[in-house]
Amino acid sequence: NFMFKDQKQYLQYYQVASDIICISVLYFVFIPFLLKISMHLPLHNMVDPKLTSVLYKTPHYFILSPIMIFIPVLFFVLKRYQKVDLLKMSSVCIQTFLLSFVFSIILFFTLMILDSKIDSKIIFSAGTGILLWITLILNRTYVGYIIKNSSSNQNLIKHILIVGTGDKAVSIAGYINSHPETGIRVIGFLTQKE
């Protein structure tokens, strides 16, 4: 897999930004929503009522929110985004799993600050981590789809001319065209007029 340096850098920034958005939406929208509806579900007795009624209304929840949002930035600083090939599902799954796992652990310790049942903390943290993992995988899959099928995104797609018209030039063009996931599109061949 080959990409230009600026394409890779754009993808890394895109991943960090989209991960921050996913975590923020999950932390500030879905967790409160899930906590509110959990009391109406058949297994509501597994979730501590104190957890469902006060968690997202406590100062601890909001004080720890920058830590949650900082997780992708930390991954970026540790160069975890550079090692990910967006188009290899195993690479995407590992990175998103690590991100979700760290999120779940921090959420678990956030819940430990409150005095609630240990069972509900584990279940809730694991369930939230799984939801985040699925969201991040869908996000990466969408980006991979855009790269493969787009022809005009200036940040992801690079149009190139191949110098020459010989067998090697045609072979290189064929290889590049058979791998649209690289974000490189051959628009033609350049020859010298005689």
Side-chain angles (χ1 to χ4, degrees), residues 4 7 150-162 176 182-188:
F4 291 109
Q7 285 175 297
S150 181
S151 63
S152 64
N153 185 320
Q154 66 181 358
N155 295 311
L156 293 175
I157 307 303
K158 300 295 179 188
H159 296 94
I160 64 169
L161 283 172
I162 295 181
I176 291 171
T182 61
I184 300 172
R185 307 293 187 261
V186 176
I187 59 171

Side-chain angles (χ1 to χ4, degrees), residues 70-124:
F70 184 70
I71 296 169
V73 176
L74 178 66
F75 270 54
F76 182 77
V77 169
L78 296 174
K79 300 187 181 198
R80 294 299 309 167
Y81 286 97
Q82 290 180 354
K83 300 173 183 176
V84 174
D85 181 358
L86 263 181
L87 305 165
K88 284 186 181 173
M89 200 53 159
S90 61
S91 177
V92 167
C93 287
I94 290 169
Q95 183 211 30
T96 55
F97 177 77
L98 286 174
L99 195 62
S100 301
F101 181 74
V102 170
F103 179 85
S104 294
I105 296 297
I106 292 172
L107 181 62
F108 177 77
F109 285 113
T110 303
L111 298 175
M112 289 290 286
I113 291 171
L114 298 171
D115 189 27
S116 59
K117 293 185 215 173
I118 190 78
D119 292 345
S120 62
K121 292 177 203 171
I122 293 171
I123 292 169
F124 190 76

Side-chain angles (χ1 to χ4, degrees), residues 11-97:
L11 283 175
Q12 289 172 8
Y13 292 149
Y14 175 85
Q15 284 181 322
V16 172
S18 66
D19 289 351
I20 289 171
I21 291 168
C22 287
I23 288 173
S24 299
V25 168
L26 184 72
Y27 196 72
F28 292 110
V29 177
F30 284 118
I31 289 177
F33 176 74
L34 290 174
L35 289 172
K36 281 186 179 184
I37 66 165
S38 67
M39 292 308 293
H40 304 292
L41 297 176
L43 300 174
H44 68 84
N45 58 347
M46 292 188 73
V47 179
D48 187 359
K50 182 179 179 185
L51 180 67
T52 59
S53 63
V54 299
L55 170 68
Y56 59 93
K57 298 174 186 172
T58 64
H60 300 297
Y61 193 76
F62 289 101
I63 290 170
L64 292 171
S65 63
I67 295 172
M68 296 296 196
I69 294 170
F70 184 70
I71 296 169
V73 176
L74 178 66
F75 270 54
F76 182 77
V77 169
L78 296 174
K79 300 187 181 198
R80 294 299 309 167
Y81 286 97
Q82 290 180 354
K83 300 173 183 176
V84 174
D85 181 358
L86 263 181
L87 305 165
K88 284 186 181 173
M89 200 53 159
S90 61
S91 177
V92 167
C93 287
I94 290 169
Q95 183 211 30
T96 55
F97 177 77

